[in-house]
Amino acid sequence: MTNHYEVVVLGGGHNGLVCAAYLARAGMRTAVLERRHAVGGAAFSDEVFPGFTFSVFSYGLQHLYPQIIHDLDLRKFGLKTVPYGDLFSPTEDGRCLITNDNVAATAKNIAQFSTRDAEAYPKFVDFHNGLAVYLRHLGTEVPPDPTASTFRDVTRTLAFSWRNFGLRTKLFDFAELMTQSAEEYLSQWFENDAVRALFAYQAGIGNFVGPYSRGSALACLYNMLTDHSHEIPRGHVIGGMGTVSKALAASAQRLGVEIHTNAEVEHVIVDGGKLKGVATKDGREYRAGIVASSMHSKILFGKVVDRKHLPDDLVQSLEKFNTMGTNWKINVACNRPPQLKCLGSDSGRPVSAFVHIGPTIDYLEKAYDDAKYGKFAQAPWMTVATPTYLDKSMAPEGKHVVNLYGGHVPYKLREGDWSSHRSEFVQTVWKVLDEFVPGFTNEIIDYQVLLPTDIENILNIPGGNILHGQMTPDQLFSRRPYPHYADYRTPIQGLYQCGSSCHPGGGVTGLPGFNAVREILRDRGKKRS
């Protein structure tokens, strides 16, 4: 069976849906092929246990580009977010560091640990908001190839430099972030270990780094990008992260996009050096002059495209791209929500929907060290998110769902395998929870464990890396996913990339899909509508 379209988008994750919707909006007949039974990729909600619905993988909205929400009418199609509120970070001495979007209130809480750090905090926020403006803008740019010598590439590099001329004033600041460790960088701002750990925690989200790792300062900043920005909606999505994908799919379908699930692509069809479309594993063909792939670049170039169509430098870069995942997730159905020991049962303080357990710099570093030597962390850092404080629809009345997310675990254990050590790892997580949240594990009804190998197998992400590749300086901007191919194009004319392994990287931003559309339309002499 053969189907004909102008564009076929491979993968129905949020980037693929964004790309498809904008191309259809530009008047192009577009189809989306999704290998799983439902769209969404990592932005997916599911009733894992009867009555308990989880954001199975990604569990909070933080980076979605506002223009996408506006252009595609996502709120009309059901997108609604609720702020998480305070972030509670228990410390080793039994206290709790409480932070939120109110800079003055957070500084007052920090003063309980260090008056000097409390005075530094507003300056820290202002400084990073200044950097974030540039980083968010760079996320919407198409990275130029500064090594290319063609007229087109040279003019694009010059145009990029002119558009971003103001960035020159921040070059030394970015140089520090790219070369320093999180601990080294944060020590320039804060003296208290618990305060430094509060921010260093961010570096390990999606990245296999510790607070003493070179370059971890930049990873730290990336995950703090929207902490003090009111431009981007963030927090819990009512109904879970699958609501984002459902809204995108509904918007795309309204624009005429056809979505085909259970349609796993076997190979890209190239005939006489020209792109003709794709073939699925069930024997169907989808003919199109344009194919935009949101699947991981290692899957696209390693399995779906015949290597005879690829230049040697791309094949070599393919092997170097670091996609090893070391983060884990446990989705918990429970009778009651977590109650932090540091707050006390009679504190009168409302329990937070969001908790970070990672009390010191050394605590974070030891979790990294364990995984570095092939063991799972004996005291993992973790986020404890309880969305049912904000969204009662996700669990039966009086019950709760809790998302646990943390690090680090090795992709492969040095001794034994995960089939024989999975339960031992879970008990290690429970031990940490019982230390900071006494009695909670007794209230667990059931749970789902997702290790990097599980994420890899379910979502087809090599290495199970939630950001589709380490967000370290060597894998960003013009080097993401590979040098010379950061502009969403590929060596095959008509074949493009639009997934999170491309610039600007992982997270539910929609920007890889958004940016790829600009290049697809530019190559056809069109503009985004």
Side-chain angles (χ1 to χ4, degrees):
M1 180 179 176
T2 303
N3 303 275
H4 295 271
Y5 300 91
E6 288 182 81
V7 184
V8 172
V9 176
L10 310 185
H14 80 280
N15 279 308
L17 293 171
V18 167
C19 184
Y22 274 108
L23 290 173
R25 198 168 179 243
M28 305 180 81
R29 186 165 183 252
T30 305
V32 172
L33 306 183
E34 167 55 44
R35 63 182 280 272
R36 299 185 71 219
H37 66 284
V39 297
F44 177 68
S45 302
D46 192 27
E47 188 177 347
V48 178
F49 310 113
F52 294 88
T53 298
F54 293 87
S55 294
V56 178
F57 305 100
S58 174
Y59 57 91
L61 195 66
Q62 186 175 357
H63 297 288
L64 186 59
Y65 190 47
Q67 187 176 336
I68 294 171
I69 297 172
H70 176 267
D71 288 349
L72 302 183
D73 292 328
L74 297 190
R75 297 198 186 282
K76 174 183 175 182
F77 291 104
L79 178 64
K80 182 181 179 182
T81 58
V82 182
Y84 276 118
D86 291 343
L87 168 65
F88 287 58
S89 301
T91 61
E92 276 197 330
D93 62 4
R95 292 185 290 171
C96 196
L97 181 52
I98 303 169
T99 57
N100 54 44
D101 286 344
N102 187 314
V103 175
T106 295
K108 184 178 179 181
N109 290 331
I110 290 175
Q112 299 175 41
F113 295 82
S114 166
T115 54
R116 177 178 175 271
D117 290 355
E119 292 171 359
Y121 180 69
K123 300 173 186 176
F124 177 78
V125 171
D126 287 343
F127 179 77
H128 286 90
N129 280 348
L131 293 180
V133 169
Y134 287 101
L135 281 179
R136 283 197 293 270
H137 171 71
L138 288 175
T140 66
E141 287 274 10
V142 175
D145 183 353
T147 68
S149 57
T150 66
F151 178 77
R152 187 193 74 168
D153 286 314
V154 170
T155 55
R156 286 190 176 184
T157 300
L158 291 173
F160 169 84
S161 300
W162 179 252
R163 284 194 306 274
N164 296 280
F165 188 65
L167 184 60
R168 75 194 190 285
T169 63
K170 302 291 183 182
L171 286 179
F172 290 128
D173 296 328
F174 281 115
E176 282 191 352
L177 286 163
M178 288 189 288
T179 57
Q180 290 185 336
S181 70
E183 160 63 10
E184 185 179 10
Y185 180 71
L186 291 168
S187 292
Q188 298 171 8
W189 289 95
F190 306 112
E191 64 179 2
N192 183 270
D193 187 66
V195 176
R196 294 199 304 273
L198 171 72
F199 301 108
Y201 182 101
Q202 303 286 340
I205 298 175
N207 296 296
F208 187 35
V209 296
Y212 292 101
S213 303
R214 285 288 172 188
S216 58
L218 183 63
C220 187
L221 174 62
Y222 177 80
N223 284 310
M224 293 193 298
L225 267 183
T226 58
D227 276 7
H228 303 284
S229 168
H230 299 287
E231 300 174 20
I232 300 175
R234 57 194 179 87
H236 171 72
V237 179
I238 298 298
M241 288 297 287
T243 301
V244 178
S245 302
K246 288 178 180 177
L248 284 168
S251 179
Q253 288 172 320
R254 181 196 62 173
L255 292 165
V257 174
E258 295 181 22
I259 297 175
H260 303 266
T261 55
N262 298 308
E264 185 171 1
V265 174
E266 183 172 54
H267 65 270
V268 170
I269 302 170
V270 180
D271 187 8
K274 294 184 178 180
L275 177 73
K276 298 296 183 181
V278 299
T280 56
K281 289 193 174 182
D282 60 6
R284 288 176 288 175
E285 288 190 0
Y286 294 82
R287 295 281 175 162
I290 301 170
V291 173
S293 171
S294 69
M295 64 175 59
H296 198 283
S297 60
K298 278 194 168 185
I299 301 296
L300 176 66
F301 296 128
K303 295 182 179 180
V304 176
V305 174
D306 193 315
R307 289 204 174 186
K308 69 182 181 182
H309 301 301
L310 304 176
D312 291 340
D313 62 339
L314 190 150
V315 174
Q316 292 169 6
S317 297
L318 185 71
E319 306 301 329
K320 296 177 184 177
F321 192 42
N322 184 354
T323 60
M324 184 176 67
T326 61
N327 294 126
W328 51 266
K329 190 164 185 229
I330 301 179
N331 295 314
V332 178
C334 54
N335 288 311
R336 70 168 178 84
Q339 304 281 336
L340 279 171
K341 180 172 67 175
C342 62
L343 294 180
S345 58
D346 58 350
S347 67
R349 181 98 194 190
V351 181
S352 175
F354 221 72
V355 175
H356 280 176
I357 297 175
T360 68
I361 292 290
D362 284 349
Y363 186 102
L364 300 172
E365 184 70 14
K366 286 175 182 175
Y368 167 70
D369 274 343
D370 284 343
K372 184 172 65 176
Y373 293 109
K375 302 181 295 182
F376 53 81
Q378 297 304 295
W381 54 263
M382 69 183 78
T383 296
V384 184
T386 310
T388 37
Y389 276 125
L390 309 168
D391 184 358
K392 302 299 183 185
S393 71
M394 300 185 75
E397 185 175 355
K399 308 296 182 182
H400 286 270
V401 299
V402 174
N403 302 126
L404 304 175
Y405 168 86
H408 289 282
V409 294
Y411 175 78
K412 289 183 179 179
L413 293 167
R414 178 167 292 184
E415 297 181 4
D417 56 40
W418 279 113
S419 62
S420 57
H421 289 280
R422 182 177 290 248
S423 60
E424 182 185 349
F425 160 70
V426 172
Q427 292 306 312
T428 302
V429 175
W430 292 169
K431 182 180 178 181
V432 172
L433 278 175
D434 282 336
E435 179 183 352
F436 291 94
V437 192
F440 173 68
T441 56
N442 295 328
E443 302 295 332
I444 293 175
I445 298 170
D446 212 337
Y447 59 90
Q448 174 193 41
V449 180
L450 295 168
L451 298 170
T453 49
D454 301 311
I455 295 169
E456 177 181 61
N457 293 333
I458 297 170
L459 296 180
N460 208 25
I461 300 174
N465 186 289
I466 63 165
L467 298 179
H468 294 243
Q470 301 278 325
M471 298 290 289
T472 47
D474 60 318
Q475 296 194 164
L476 294 176
F477 205 57
S478 293
R479 293 181 59 86
R480 191 175 184 95
Y482 313 116
H484 316 303
Y485 299 99
D487 65 354
Y488 308 99
R489 295 171 179 83
T490 74
I492 301 172
Q493 187 174 356
L495 177 62
Y496 297 83
Q497 295 187 83
C498 63
S500 290
S501 56
C502 301
H503 171 75
V508 182
T509 69
L511 284 173
F514 181 86
N515 293 343
V517 168
R518 183 192 304 125
E519 300 310 293
I520 293 170
L521 296 180
R522 174 182 285 174
D523 288 349
R524 273 133 195 90
K526 296 185 177 184
K527 291 185 178 181
R528 191 194 309 270
S529 61

